[in-house]
Structures are given as C-alpha cells and as structure tokens.
Amino acid sequence: MYRLIFLSGAQQGRRVVIRQGPVILGRHPDSVIRLTDEGVALQHALLEERPGGGVSIRCLATDARLIVNRQAVTEVELQDGDQFELGSVKLQFQGHAQPGAPVRMPRGGLQSITIAAVVLMLLGQMAFLVWISAWQYGRDGVVASLPLTPEPASPPPPPAAVTVLAKAPPPPKAPAATLAGAPPGVNHSGGTDTVAREIKLMQQEMGELRQQVASLPKPAAPVTPPPAPAATNPPVAPVPSSPAAESENPVWEQGQRMLQRALAQEAALGPEALDHELEKIQIMAPDFTPPYQERARLFEQRKMPRAALTQWRELQRPTAQRAESERLAALDQPPAPVPAATAPAPALSNDAPLSPPAPARAPAVRIAAVDQQRFMTNEQFDEMRTLRITLAPRPGASAADPAGVKALVTFYDQDRDTGHITPTSAVAPGTALRLNDAATLADQPALTAAYLLPRGFREKETRQHGSRRRYYGYRVQVYYLGVLQDERARPLDLLAPDVKP
C-alpha cells in the first residue's frame, strides 16, 4: 500500500491511497486516476507493484514525457519521497502509507512568500488601529479642555404664510421593453440584452439547420451511364462518384453498431460519458452523420446552444461542400494530353525573343503540428490510433482559401519477418481530409485521421497473405489547389522517394 499526493494541478492537495493492483493515470475516463490537466495524455503512465516489493512507474504515451525527479524516464522504480510529473501535474510518491498517517506537504517558495505577505499585512493593520486609537484619544482630550461658552438664544423667526397645494400624482411609468422569450424580472440593458439576442439568433439558426437537414434528399443509388461511343478526342479526367450507401462502408457499419450500443446505454452512461462515446464514433468515421445529430440533441438538452449549433453546422457541411469538393478533385487531376495535330509546336528562330517561364506558386500552407494518440484495447478493436493534424498559414504568404486545402494521410505496416514496409490494409482514411466551411487558417484548424484494427484482423490478415504485420508509422501530405505544400512522417525514413504512398 502506498500514497500519492497531488502537489500541483486541478487536484492540488488531494491524497490517494493505493492498496493493490495496477493503476493507470491519464485523461481517459476509464483511467483509475483521471487527470484533466493540460499536457496529460489519454493513457499517460502505469503504476505497478513488483513481486519482490516496491512500486514502478512506466510511461505509456508515445507523444508525452514522464519526468521523475526532474529527469525524463521510460520506466523506473519509485522511492519514498520521489516526485514525478505528468504534463502540468506534479505528484509525490510515499511508500508503505498508513490510512491515518499525517502528511507533511513540502513548502515551496511561493507559499513562503504568501505567508510572509499575510503576516506583514496583519502587522500593518494592527499598527494602523493603534495609531487611530491614539489620534482619537488626543482629539477628545483637546476638545474636553476647551471652555464652553453658551451662545445667545436668537428669537424665533415669525411664522410665514404657507400655501398648501394638492400633491399631483406621479406620472405613470412606461413599461420596460422586454425581450421576447426572456424570463421576467431580468434587466435587459447592456450585456444581458446582447447575450439574449445572441441566444435567440442561435436558436433561430438551429431551427433553420434542422429543417435543412430534414429536407435533404437521401442518396440515390448510382446510375450506370451508357457506354460512350469511341472517339478520337483526348481522354477526360474522371469525376469522383457520389458517396456509397452506408451499408457498403465497413467503417460506417462499425459506427452504426457503436451508436446503437451507446444509445441503448444512455440512461446508465449519463450525458458526459455518452458525449464521449459519440465523439469517439466521429473520430473513427468523420463522414458518418448520425453521431452529429445525437450530439446536437444532447447539447440542447444540457442547455449548451453554442455547442449544439456547431454540431448542426457539421451535419450540414458534407452536402454543402459536395460540389466544391468535386471541382477541387477535378483540379487535382493531371492535364489531358493535347494531340500533336491540334497543337503544332511553333517554329523557333534565332531572332525571336524567348519569354521566361511562369514563376512557381509559393507555398501558402504548412503543417504546424502532428499529435498521435493511442487508445486502450477494447472489445471492438485490437488497436486504435488517431492523428490530429494542425494546419497554419506560411509567414509572408498570400491568404489561402481553406476550401482548396486537403491532407492525404497514409498509415504503414511492417512485415515482422522480412522488414518490408507497405501501406496498411487496416481501416484508415481512404480519401483526402478537408476543412469545413467555417475554418480559417489563421485560427490553425485541425484534421483528424484514425487507424483502426478490428478484433481478429491481424489473424485474418496472416491467414490471407501469409505474413505477420505490425504498425510502423504514418505519412501526412498537405496540398493546396493540387500543389504539395508540406509533409511530415514518423519515422522519417517514410519520406524517402522509394516509399510507396
């Protein structure tokens, strides 16, 4: 049995006694000790008791650090009094703790300065009270020593004629203007009036978005066009077809099962846990729309109109962007070759001036950060990873239209026997990721990609291909109007030209 003491963070001063079993610390709701502070990973660290005695701590996060006694470590055995840091949270380890034993909290420099300031303030108040008492005593003594001479009584003034007028009734007050739909007794002046109007506008917009979503036509089955007659015209770049039905997408099928399971347990989970489950479905399948509608309904029930409005906007975005996405996809296609008969090469002479080539477009978008998270194994997935890609404008570049930005994310697996690296066959993004309509590059928007291994996927893969594979890394490429802007990879050898995208 041992004790953990929170020295900083949102739970500063808290004491936790651990009696037995492994303990996971992190932001995930299933963690034994949940930490919501900045810089803490979903599963940050694991505390385990060793068979021969003692407690060890091990770092579980791939993109976060574990610091013990001001040194970054991967795994170490803790000694009594050791201090370790998880993000912005600092804790102290005490071995062989007793439940009722007193805890001596270390005193920092800031605490000592605070105590000294309080003592000085109390001394100053006492000195001020003493000075006030002495000054009042001296004033009263001087006044008591002065001779008192009675003033001559002045004759009373003659009574003046008084005219009694009837008091006019006060004018009726004009009724205060009230805001439609606002509760009575609220002062609608100033900031309250502005907030009420903003809430009313958000409610109106949510109502309009509900009607628009309800009136959207359901995706029809794709119609096969008749074969075009043979012609000598140059080939035309293909236009991407409309999205397939949800039943043909394995990621959407998995999202539908997860959604049904979460809604069936809504009463037992509670609002916050249900919202967390719906958010996981959105991360896994960003184009699967039912979780957005359920989160909007949940936020409206919790009196969070701004968050609900965001979900309604996300629900409407894929339909509004379909035409623009098709246009940008066509721009990404290579130009069609021009036959020699229709575009003869001009004859060059020594006297004709040569025009300089057009300058290349300067990059306008960059990758600000790529954050990777790995989730706990559960009954649905053997492995689940997510990438959060943060974009930003390049300094000095002209403003870029967010609608023309797309990101291609490729996950790679490695053969355990041969070391050969190939793009993964697991559930991963099959199309480019794009920003929504409301995004601006100045706000550094983020895109999310997921890498999912359903239960038993690796065993099935081994039986089909005869190779044992494992996760190796990722590669992110960002394009603007079809031109590569920036790319990142982990490990860096995935940026080599011979690696298949």
Side-chain angles (χ1 to χ4, degrees), residues 110-374:
L110 182 60
Q111 187 176 4
S112 302
I113 295 175
T114 304
I115 294 175
V118 171
V119 171
L120 290 177
M121 184 176 63
L122 293 176
L123 292 176
Q125 290 180 352
M126 292 177 60
F128 177 75
L129 291 176
V130 171
W131 179 80
I132 285 292
S133 301
W135 177 80
Q136 185 71 22
Y137 175 79
R139 178 176 174 273
D140 293 343
V142 172
V143 173
S145 62
L146 293 176
L148 299 178
T149 56
E151 297 182 355
S154 58
V162 178
T163 304
V164 179
L165 300 177
K167 184 178 181 181
K173 296 182 179 179
T178 59
L179 185 64
V186 179
N187 182 11
H188 303 291
S189 61
T192 309
D193 191 13
T194 304
V195 173
R197 281 199 302 268
E198 184 177 355
I199 294 176
K200 184 178 179 181
L201 290 175
M202 286 192 294
Q203 292 174 348
Q204 292 177 355
E205 186 175 355
M206 280 192 292
E208 295 174 357
L209 289 174
R210 288 196 202 96
Q211 296 176 1
Q212 293 176 9
V213 171
S215 62
L216 291 177
K218 296 183 178 180
V223 179
T224 305
T232 58
N233 295 332
V236 180
V239 178
S241 59
S242 59
E246 294 184 5
S247 59
E248 300 177 2
N249 192 322
V251 179
W252 286 0
E253 292 179 357
Q254 181 66 26
Q256 181 67 30
R257 290 193 292 268
M258 294 174 63
L259 178 63
Q260 293 175 355
R261 188 180 302 109
L263 294 180
Q265 302 176 357
E266 180 175 0
L269 291 175
E272 294 185 2
L274 177 60
D275 179 65
H276 180 73
E277 294 297 324
L278 296 174
E279 186 180 12
K280 287 199 302 186
I281 302 175
Q282 289 178 336
I283 293 175
M284 181 190 70
D287 294 333
F288 184 55
T289 56
Y292 295 93
Q293 189 169 359
E294 293 298 331
R295 290 192 75 191
R297 174 187 62 83
L298 192 63
F299 285 134
E300 290 181 6
Q301 292 177 356
R302 297 169 64 186
K303 308 299 182 184
M304 302 169 65
R306 196 179 301 275
L309 183 58
T310 301
Q311 296 301 315
W312 284 115
R313 288 171 177 168
E314 288 292 327
L315 185 62
Q316 188 196 26
R317 180 182 63 85
T319 301
Q321 279 192 321
R322 186 172 296 123
E324 181 66 14
S325 298
E326 293 180 356
R327 182 185 70 82
L328 293 174
L331 289 177
D332 293 343
Q333 301 293 333
V338 180
T342 58
L348 297 179
S349 64
N350 295 333
D351 298 334
L354 297 177
S355 57
R361 183 191 299 270
V365 186
R366 65 181 179 90
I367 301 175
V370 178
D371 299 321
Q372 181 178 200
Q373 291 285 347
R374 183 175 181 179

Side-chain angles (χ1 to χ4, degrees), residues 1 27 73 85 112 137 227 230 235 241 300 325 346 353 375 397 447 483 500:
M1 184 171 60
R27 290 191 297 108
V73 298
E85 302 177 24
S112 302
Y137 175 79
S241 59
E300 290 181 6
S325 298
F375 294 84
L447 299 169
V483 179
K500 182 180 178 181

Side-chain angles (χ1 to χ4, degrees), residues 456-474:
F457 180 85
R458 289 300 188 198
E459 291 78 4
K460 185 185 301 184
E461 186 180 52
T462 302
R463 290 194 300 268
Q464 291 179 354
H465 304 285
S467 60
R468 300 181 304 115
R469 301 178 183 178
R470 62 185 176 188
Y471 174 81
Y472 184 73
Y474 64 84

Side-chain angles (χ1 to χ4, degrees), residues 254 258 284 377-383 452-455:
Q254 181 66 26
M258 294 174 63
M284 181 190 70
T377 302
N378 52 40
E379 68 278 3
Q380 301 169 7
F381 300 102
D382 287 334
E383 189 172 353
L452 306 175
L453 284 183
R455 278 288 186 183

Side-chain angles (χ1 to χ4, degrees), residues 35-122:
L35 308 174
T36 59
D37 300 84
E38 182 180 359
V40 180
L42 287 175
Q43 292 183 336
H44 202 126
L46 173 66
L47 288 169
E48 292 181 303
E49 292 186 354
R50 297 189 172 183
V55 178
S56 65
I57 185 170
R58 176 160 52 95
C59 183
L60 301 179
T62 58
D63 55 350
R65 297 193 307 167
L66 170 63
I67 299 177
V68 178
N69 296 331
R70 299 183 180 181
Q71 292 185 357
V73 298
T74 303
E75 183 175 1
V76 69
E77 182 176 356
L78 294 175
Q79 304 296 328
D80 186 32
D82 284 352
Q83 297 181 3
F84 59 94
E85 302 177 24
L86 308 177
S88 60
V89 183
K90 190 173 184 180
L91 301 96
Q92 185 181 35
F93 171 81
Q94 288 189 350
H96 307 289
Q98 299 296 329
V103 179
R104 181 179 180 271
M105 296 292 293
R107 178 178 298 176
L110 182 60
Q111 187 176 4
S112 302
I113 295 175
T114 304
I115 294 175
V118 171
V119 171
L120 290 177
M121 184 176 63
L122 293 176

